[in-house]
């Protein structure tokens, strides 16, 4: 073991021992270690020397000073949902923020304080019980809160160990703006304070269509985009291909969410008259299992084909709205999940216990060299990646190209261990940035754009190169088509959460890049955070 790493681990061990159990360090082979290094995908998990769960901000400060002093590699993990290897994983010292699990509502300010180790599962349940909600990420795949939005304050430990609370004004307002979308370039965030909103009950529908209906579905998608009238309705479509059941399967899924009065024009009416793929109405996966909740799915007579509607066994409007909100989230997350024929019990632990970060018990062990291969089961599902290009507005020609490219990328799944090939259409509303504030990520009012997402899942490390190359080929081809039909331009900043690791950082931050470099130099002059993964400024 590297001499500096060994010294760093010894000093961090001493910090943990002096914390009376609030901070803990886990050796290779322990359950705590496994939880600490585990990521959403096997391919983005790594074999760290130790896993460390700091329990207080002061201990994070002390640990940060050790990392800086010994110049050692480390990773910082919240939920571990990144698909890029070595972005929140490491072969050095893995920090796992799960002990920072505070969720505290301030009724006077209508804000929510959230620890950086929280997952959206926990946050939603806590805040929905207050009759409020927050703008966040998916709750069904163990997604951490680090991708949070609508932030009013950070608590962050900068690389010299100083603890700073920063908002949009004050002496560290530059750091506040940089932390909003700037990744792990400026320190370790321990707490977010975020805005909350009065809860609304979304009406969501998840519709599957056979490929034979693709012309009708694509026409309905295009019409929705062109006829956009309200910010109270959104649509996501996915061309889905699977090699996880006895027979290969592919179909189109359309996820619709609206929050409109009954008298309003239904923006999804055209989809209701397209014949549905029958499995969803017949398959038990429509009965979403949520511990402690009784929710049933019924057919709405006024919609041809029978759409999904939520009926909750409760007289409480607040409880119903909260359940409807969570169900909408589950419906959305299922787009990238297993095919309906795969029993949920057969999925890995990630989809069943997402968000249940168990309290861990430290185990005494003699440190030894870590084997070159990881522990079995460290990855929650198989290997994979997200990738994206940026789209300002979808046109039919691009949607046609996305469908064709999804088929082309999926055709050799069996030959290369492929399990899922999914291409998403995520239309951005024309007013998406109208209420946005200044942050690291470049955007401006009146210039909408969003990611066109691609998601591949496969088995076997020997297939990594094939699938990452295929994703780059597919994205490049679609980018060229999008440019040719006026759906994008070269100046649109890429989306860091779903960009491949080969993406140039300057293409994410564009005109903000040079300014962010100066802020990083101000708060991290010794380049401590460059020894952690991610897109480095």
């Amino acid at each position: 073991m590297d001499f500096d790493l060994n010294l760093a681990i010894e000093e961090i061990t001493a910090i943990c021992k002096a914390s009376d159990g609030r901070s803990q360090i886990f050796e290779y082979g322990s359950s705590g270690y496994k939880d600490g290094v585990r990521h959403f995908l096997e391919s983005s998990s790594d074999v760290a020397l130790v896993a460390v769960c700091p329990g207080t901000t002061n201990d994070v400060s002390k640990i940060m000073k050790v990392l800086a002093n010994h110049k050692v590699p480390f990773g910082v993990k919240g939920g571990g949902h990144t698909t890029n290897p070595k972005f929140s994983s490491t072969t050095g010292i893995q920090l796992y923020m799960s002990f920072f699990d505070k969720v505290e509502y301030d009724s006077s300010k209508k804000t929510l304080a959230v620890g950086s180790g929280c997952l959206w599962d926990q946050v939603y349940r806590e805040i929905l019980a207050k009759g409020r909600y927050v703008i966040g990420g998916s709750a069904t795949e163990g997604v951490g809160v680090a991708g949070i939005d609508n932030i009013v304050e950070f608590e962050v430990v900068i690389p010299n160990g100083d603890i700073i609370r920063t908002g949009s004004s004050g002496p560290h307002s530059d750091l506040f703006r940089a932390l909003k979308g700037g990744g792990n370039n400026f320190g370790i965030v321990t707490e977010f304070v975020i805005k909350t909103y009065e809860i609304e009950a979304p009406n969501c529908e998840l519709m599957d269509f056979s490929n034979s209906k693709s012309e009708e579905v694509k026409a309905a998608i295009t019409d929705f985009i062109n006829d956009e009238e309200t910010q109270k309705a959104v649509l996501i479509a996915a061309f889905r291909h699977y090699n996880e059941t006895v027979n290969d399967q592919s179909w189109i899924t359309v996820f619709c969410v609206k929050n409109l009065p009954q008298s309003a024009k239904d923006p999804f009416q055209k989809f209701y008259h397209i014949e549905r793929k029958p499995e969803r109405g017949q398959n038990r996966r429509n009965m979403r299992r949520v511990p402690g909740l009784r929710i049933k799915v019924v057919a709405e007579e006024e919609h041809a084909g029978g759409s999904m509607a939520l009926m909750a066994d409760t007289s409480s409007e607040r409880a119903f709205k909260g359940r409807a909100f969570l169900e909408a989230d589950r419906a959305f997350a299922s787009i990238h999940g297993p095919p309906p024929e795969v029993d949920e019990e057969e999925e890995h632990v990630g989809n069943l216990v997402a968000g249940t970060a168990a309290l861990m018990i430290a185990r005494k062990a003699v440190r030894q060299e870590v084997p070159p291969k990881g522990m079995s089961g460290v990855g929650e599902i198989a290997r994979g990646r997200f990738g994206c290009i940026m789209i300002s507005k979808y046109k039919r020609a691009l949607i046609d190209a996305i469908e064709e490219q999804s088929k082309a990328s999926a055709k050799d799944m069996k030959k290369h261990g492929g399990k899922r090939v999914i291409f998403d259409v995520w239309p951005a509303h024309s007013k998406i940035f109208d209420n946005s504030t200044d942050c690291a990520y470049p955007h401006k009012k009146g210039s909408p754009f969003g990611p066109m997402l691609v998601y591949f899942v496969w088995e076997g490390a020997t297939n990594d190169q094939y699938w990452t190359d295929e994703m780059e080929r597919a994205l490049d081809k679609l980018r060229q088509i999008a440019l040719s039909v006026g759906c994008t331009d070269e100046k649109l900043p890429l989306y860091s959460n779903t960009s491949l690791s080969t993406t140039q950082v300057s293409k994410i931050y564009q005109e903000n890049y040079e300014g962010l470099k100066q802020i990083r130099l101000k708060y991290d002059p010794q380049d401590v955070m460059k020894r952690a993964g991610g897109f480095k400024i």
Side-chain angles (χ1 to χ4, degrees):
M1 185 186 299
D2 180 89
F3 179 70
D4 284 322
L5 269 168
N6 196 45
L7 284 176
I9 291 171
E10 288 179 2
E11 291 177 24
I12 292 172
T13 300
I15 292 168
C16 293
K17 285 182 177 179
S19 72
D20 294 326
R22 289 187 295 273
S23 298
Q24 299 182 21
I25 186 167
F26 299 98
E27 304 282 352
Y28 178 90
S30 69
S31 60
Y33 173 91
K34 189 172 181 179
D35 284 337
V37 303
R38 185 202 312 269
H39 279 66
F40 168 61
L41 294 171
E42 174 190 324
S43 51
S44 49
S45 302
D46 220 324
V47 188
L49 292 171
V50 292
V52 180
C53 285
T56 68
T57 305
N58 283 334
D59 281 354
V60 174
S61 172
K62 294 173 185 176
I63 291 167
M64 181 71 95
K65 291 175 182 177
V66 172
L67 298 172
N69 183 45
H70 292 290
K71 298 180 174 61
V72 294
F74 64 99
V76 184
K77 188 186 92 163
H81 199 259
T82 180
T83 65
N84 282 327
K86 300 189 185 303
F87 266 47
S88 59
S89 59
T90 181
T91 55
I93 296 171
Q94 180 73 64
L95 301 187
Y96 180 30
M97 303 300 290
S98 65
F99 287 177
F100 285 83
D101 58 357
K102 170 183 177 181
V103 182
E104 189 174 285
Y105 178 59
D106 185 328
S107 58
S108 64
K109 297 179 180 178
K110 293 183 170 51
T111 59
L112 189 71
V114 177
S116 60
C118 289
L119 306 183
W120 283 116
D121 310 64
Q122 173 189 3
V123 174
Y124 287 146
R125 281 171 173 75
E126 294 277 354
I127 193 60
L128 290 172
K130 307 290 186 184
R132 309 286 294 178
Y133 77 98
V134 293
I135 308 297
S138 175
T140 58
E141 293 187 330
V143 178
V145 297
I148 211 163
D149 202 352
N150 282 247
I151 301 170
V152 297
E153 187 175 271
F154 292 96
E155 179 181 75
V156 58
V157 179
I158 62 173
N160 68 358
D162 286 354
I163 301 168
I164 293 175
R165 292 199 74 92
T166 177
S168 58
S169 61
H172 303 293
S173 58
D174 57 344
L175 180 59
F176 175 77
R177 290 191 296 274
L179 288 169
K180 292 171 62 180
N184 63 342
N185 285 285
F186 308 97
I188 299 176
V189 174
T190 54
E191 182 179 296
F192 306 90
V193 179
I194 56 178
K195 296 177 183 177
T196 70
Y197 301 89
E198 184 177 352
I199 192 170
E200 298 178 355
N203 185 330
C204 73
E205 306 204 29
L206 193 62
M207 299 175 276
D208 290 339
F209 302 97
S210 300
N211 287 335
S212 62
K213 301 295 180 183
S214 70
E215 292 302 310
E216 295 173 71
V217 174
K218 290 185 293 183
I221 294 170
T222 305
D223 287 346
F224 171 81
I225 294 168
N226 292 336
D227 297 341
E228 171 191 62
E229 294 178 0
T230 175
Q231 291 177 273
K232 294 286 189 174
V234 294
L235 172 153
I236 295 174
F239 298 95
R240 306 168 70 185
H241 305 268
Y242 288 91
N243 177 34
E244 296 192 47
T245 57
V246 175
N247 300 312
D248 296 347
Q249 291 198 350
S250 63
W251 66 91
I252 307 166
T253 293
V254 179
F255 175 57
C256 304
V257 179
K258 61 186 179 183
N259 186 17
L260 299 167
Q262 268 192 323
S263 59
K265 174 186 173 184
D266 192 327
F268 305 121
Q269 190 67 40
K270 292 180 180 179
F271 292 101
Y272 305 148
H273 299 290
I274 304 173
E275 183 182 354
R276 310 278 180 88
K277 186 175 180 289
E279 286 87 347
R280 184 167 295 281
Q282 300 168 0
N283 193 282
R284 74 175 184 83
R285 278 176 61 85
N286 282 337
M287 185 73 76
R288 304 291 179 182
R289 289 207 301 267
V290 187
L293 304 184
R294 291 181 292 166
I295 295 178
K296 54 186 177 182
V297 178
V298 298
E300 290 183 306
E301 294 180 359
E302 67 269 25
H303 289 168
S307 64
M308 291 196 296
L310 291 174
M311 299 289 289
D313 295 332
T314 176
S315 59
S316 166
E317 182 181 3
R318 176 186 294 181
F320 174 72
K321 287 182 176 180
R323 294 174 188 187
F325 183 94
L326 289 171
E327 187 67 12
D329 179 77
R330 281 173 174 73
F332 164 70
S334 73
I335 291 174
H336 296 145
E341 288 73 14
V342 177
D343 197 321
E344 289 174 70
E345 277 79 9
E346 295 175 7
E347 272 288 286
H348 287 274
V349 178
N351 286 338
L352 292 175
V353 296
T356 51
L359 292 175
M360 296 173 286
I361 301 173
R363 300 184 177 183
K364 295 181 180 178
V366 177
R367 185 176 304 113
Q368 54 186 348
E369 293 298 322
V370 175
K373 293 183 178 180
M375 298 164 63
S376 176
V378 163
E380 292 181 351
I381 64 172
R383 310 179 74 79
R385 293 289 192 283
F386 282 116
C388 70
I389 60 174
M390 306 308 291
I391 303 298
S392 52
K393 186 169 183 176
Y394 287 86
K395 296 180 181 178
R396 177 60 187 268
L398 177 59
I399 296 172
D400 286 342
I402 292 169
E403 180 189 28
E404 290 307 309
Q405 184 57 56
S406 75
K407 293 176 181 177
S409 293
K411 67 182 175 65
D412 288 328
M413 278 203 290
K414 281 188 176 180
K415 190 185 299 185
H416 298 284
K419 307 299 287 184
R420 305 176 200 173
V421 168
I422 302 172
F423 283 65
D424 288 357
V425 173
W426 287 22
H429 196 280
S430 60
K431 297 182 179 180
I432 186 173
F433 297 130
D434 281 12
N435 298 316
S436 296
T437 55
D438 192 19
C439 67
Y441 191 67
H443 62 281
K444 59 184 179 180
K445 181 177 179 178
S447 299
F449 61 87
M452 187 234 89
L453 191 66
V454 176
Y455 180 45
F456 291 174
V457 175
W458 63 88
E459 290 183 342
T462 55
N463 291 312
D464 286 0
Q465 195 64 54
Y466 173 83
W467 286 109
T468 53
D469 286 351
E470 175 59 28
M471 183 172 283
E472 289 190 349
R473 282 194 296 269
L475 290 172
D476 185 62
K477 183 175 181 179
L478 290 174
R479 183 184 296 109
Q480 296 308 315
I481 293 171
L483 284 166
S484 69
V485 297
C487 293
T488 189
D489 66 63
E490 296 287 5
K491 295 182 179 180
L492 290 184
L494 294 172
Y495 183 48
S496 62
N497 279 14
T498 52
S499 287
L500 290 167
S501 61
T502 51
T503 302
Q504 293 180 28
V505 183
S506 59
K507 290 189 175 182
I508 296 172
Y509 298 110
Q510 300 280 13
E511 65 267 24
N512 291 350
Y513 183 63
E514 291 301 322
L516 290 169
K517 282 172 64 175
Q518 296 306 309
I519 296 171
R520 187 192 62 77
L521 286 170
K522 175 181 174 181
Y523 290 97
D524 186 17
Q526 302 303 315
D527 280 348
V528 175
M529 296 308 297
K530 281 202 171 180
R531 290 188 281 277
F535 290 114
K536 309 318 295 184
I537 293 171

